[in-house]
Amino acid sequence: MLIKDNDKTQISENGRSRMLTEADVTDESVYRRRRKLLKGMGFIGASGLLWANGIGGISRAKAASFKTTAINVVKSNADSVSDTLTPESKVISHNNFYEFGAQKHEPAENAQDFKVDPWSLTVSGEVEKPFTLDYQQLFTLFDLEERIYRLRCVEAWSMVVPWLGFELGKLIKRAQPTSKAKYVAFKTLYDPDQMPGQSSRFLGGGIEYPYVEGLRIDEAMNPLSLLSVGLYGKTLPPQNGAPIRLVVPWKYGFKSIKSIVEITLTEKRPPTTWNMLAPNEYGFFANVNPEVDHPRWSQASERRITSGGLFTRNRIKTQMFNGYAEQVANLYRGMDLTKQY
Ligand code: MTE
């Protein structure tokens, strides 16, 4: 997306403000094609385009007023990658969080007043010991560790982010899953008063809310699956999914559901948001796979936001399972990944 002069947006970082640049936004052609799908499905109409041009006007140039706080990290993890980190300024200004707007710059602008404390995260379903955590417990229940992971969006851009959090598997074990627990379902907060995209089909991209996601239990128990409560040494900003979000680095980014309020262990495969919207384009598994193209664009390469650049010459090759094949390929042995995408 080429940003026109009158479409520039100011963001604030470390007390200084700067303009969003082309490097902050996604590959134009992919972005347009994803929007074309939504438009074709009747979700983005004339008013949607008004929103896209900033005429709809929710706090368009709001400075980053949400307060994040420093987090104590107990250990760094061996699974961290050594790729160059994406600058924090890009991680927190180029976001997909449709509850706050379907354009990359909108979540950072529209989420600054989001209330994360008090918070309540319930773990229940096929478990012996259901429990609910409050805001403080999200940070104190387990030792927090830093994990530097690649994040590959289905739209063919990627980042490298230093997350802070704990293994999802630890939380699940604490609830003592029953033998019927085959899947793990996740739900984002539903609060249209705070999340303008949930009450506007145009701003919210036509998604049916709350946003929901799911994993198979063995995927959820894999040590790479992380519940993140922070990035770059601080609590998460709201646009990145405060106070707690999932990070599943070998899957396309849409699996990494934000601002989670419910985790439910289930016997049946749970419905998932993008899969419900366009099942032929977004599978349940959503494993990063350079050999299985999205029906409307190639997945063979990606634009690493770290080094910026809107154009194809900056692309790098996408790796199978986003480079985590050693840790996760065994989960999918015997499966036809062209069919179970
Ligand atoms: N979670 C919710 N609730 N709503 C969303 O729109 N977008 C997903 C995922 N989690 C999304 C979400 C997509 S498409 C991506 S690529 C990642 O969040 C982006 O995470 P980031 O903004 O922290 O980079």
Side-chain angles (χ1 to χ4, degrees):
M1 178 172 62
L2 291 164
I3 298 182
K4 299 184 285 305
D5 270 3
N6 64 0
D7 197 25
K8 275 188 177 155
T9 303
Q10 226 172 13
I11 59 165
S12 164
E13 112 197 11
N14 301 332
R16 282 186 312 212
S17 51
R18 68 172 179 83
M19 291 298 193
L20 272 176
T21 67
E22 286 180 6
D24 293 311
V25 299
T26 195
D27 180 288
E28 183 185 19
S29 55
V30 169
Y31 170 78
R32 283 195 190 288
R33 272 173 277 163
R34 209 171 181 193
R35 279 184 73 88
K36 202 170 157 200
L37 161 80
L38 297 171
K39 201 173 172 196
M41 297 173 86
F43 291 127
I44 301 179
S47 344
L49 297 173
L50 291 184
W51 279 111
N53 290 321
I55 301 166
I58 288 190
S59 56
R60 183 107 175 100
K62 193 161 192 163
S65 50
F66 185 90
K67 294 273 174 286
T68 56
T69 50
I71 286 185
N72 270 340
V73 173
V74 166
K75 58 173 182 168
S76 288
N77 190 274
D79 284 317
S80 290
V81 297
S82 55
D83 304 28
T84 306
L85 292 183
T86 301
E88 183 180 3
S89 59
K90 293 186 179 180
V91 175
I92 66 171
S93 64
H94 177 279
N95 300 102
N96 274 336
F97 199 170
Y98 280 43
E99 286 86 336
F100 293 103
Q103 292 218 84
K104 298 288 174 286
H105 60 88
E106 287 176 326
E109 294 163 13
N110 296 338
Q112 294 307 311
D113 294 331
F114 188 51
K115 300 271 177 299
V116 297
D117 184 9
W119 194 261
S120 152
L121 168 64
T122 300
V123 182
S124 63
E126 288 296 344
V127 296
E128 302 290 351
K129 299 225 156 82
F131 60 90
T132 298
L133 302 179
D134 64 20
Y135 180 78
Q136 275 310 322
Q137 288 171 309
L138 301 178
F139 301 91
T140 54
L141 194 62
F142 302 108
D143 287 346
L144 301 177
E145 50 185 286
E146 177 168 86
R147 300 257 183 122
I148 300 171
Y149 281 166
R150 299 180 200 96
L151 175 84
R152 168 63 157 81
C153 179
V154 74
E155 296 166 336
W157 53 263
S158 63
M159 296 190 185
V160 181
V161 183
W163 302 107
L164 305 168
F166 54 86
E167 285 177 20
L168 169 63
K170 289 188 183 174
L171 191 83
I172 293 175
K173 269 192 207 140
R174 188 178 191 270
Q176 298 181 17
T178 70
S179 58
K180 285 190 185 160
K182 303 276 191 300
Y183 293 91
V184 185
F186 303 84
K187 194 185 280 182
T188 293
L189 177 72
Y190 182 72
D191 186 352
D193 287 344
Q194 291 205 75
M195 296 172 144
Q198 290 182 332
S199 53
S200 155
R201 66 205 291 260
F202 303 119
L203 193 62
I207 285 177
E208 212 170 289
Y209 294 101
Y211 194 103
V212 286
E213 256 308 333
L215 295 171
R216 228 172 42 191
I217 186 93
D218 57 344
E219 299 177 313
M221 297 307 291
N222 185 281
L224 282 181
S225 295
L226 190 75
L227 280 171
S228 168
V229 294
L231 57 83
Y232 267 103
K234 288 165 284 188
T235 52
L236 288 174
Q239 60 269 33
N240 293 90
I244 187 161
R245 55 105 39 101
L246 183 66
V247 185
V248 198
W250 71 97
K251 292 177 179 284
Y252 291 121
F254 65 86
K255 299 295 287 183
S256 293
I257 181 171
K258 298 177 170 181
S259 304
I260 303 168
V261 289
E262 279 176 33
I263 297 180
T264 314
L265 282 87
T266 62
E267 192 169 9
K268 295 211 177 90
R269 185 194 282 192
T272 55
T273 288
W274 281 96
N275 180 248
M276 285 190 282
L277 195 63
N280 60 325
E281 306 203 352
Y282 308 104
F284 174 81
F285 287 98
N287 292 317
V288 175
N289 189 340
E291 284 158 25
V292 176
D293 286 340
H294 185 279
R296 289 176 292 122
W297 60 81
S298 165
Q299 294 293 23
S301 68
E302 67 205 49
R303 185 171 64 90
R304 184 59 61 87
I305 303 257
T306 309
S307 43
L310 186 63
F311 303 107
T312 47
R313 68 171 181 272
N314 294 309
R315 297 184 86 84
I316 56 173
K317 277 192 176 165
T318 291
Q319 304 178 67
M320 188 64 204
F321 296 116
N322 203 22
Y324 298 98
E326 203 180 302
Q327 295 98 315
V328 300
N330 63 322
L331 297 173
Y332 308 104
R333 216 152 265 148
M335 276 173 57
D336 180 349
L337 298 180
T338 62
K339 297 209 172 74
Q340 298 202 284
Y341 54 86

